[in-house]
Amino acid sequence: MRPVILYTKENCHLCDIVKAQLADLAERYPHTLQEVDITTDPDLYARYRYIIPVVQIGDHTHKAPITPLDLRYALKMING
């Protein structure tokens, strides 16, 4: 399975939505989800605090707003 990285932080409603969308897509496009809390790293926080959620799927990086179509396309690309 391919890794998917979700840059997030506590109490991020948009992050929760993207996480649920990824879960919905997991059966068709298998992947492992790695959540990274941006508040644990000053560099990540500085880079992403105003644009989370940020999802990295293979060579594709998406920042808010992220649509289910964005996720499906990127997952399809890494899963063939």
Side-chain angles (χ1 to χ4, degrees), residues 6-50:
L6 172 61
Y7 294 96
T8 185
K9 69 176 186 168
E10 191 174 339
N11 297 319
C12 174
H13 176 69
L14 293 176
C15 300
D16 294 338
I17 291 170
V18 168
K19 185 177 175 181
Q21 291 169 344
L22 286 166
D24 289 343
L25 292 166
E27 187 174 329
R28 180 160 184 181
Y29 303 104
H31 61 274
T32 57
L33 180 61
Q34 176 188 357
E35 292 182 65
V36 176
D37 183 342
I38 65 168
T39 64
T40 63
D41 181 312
D43 291 331
L44 289 177
Y45 186 75
R47 186 179 320 156
Y48 294 134
R49 70 181 173 169
Y50 296 118

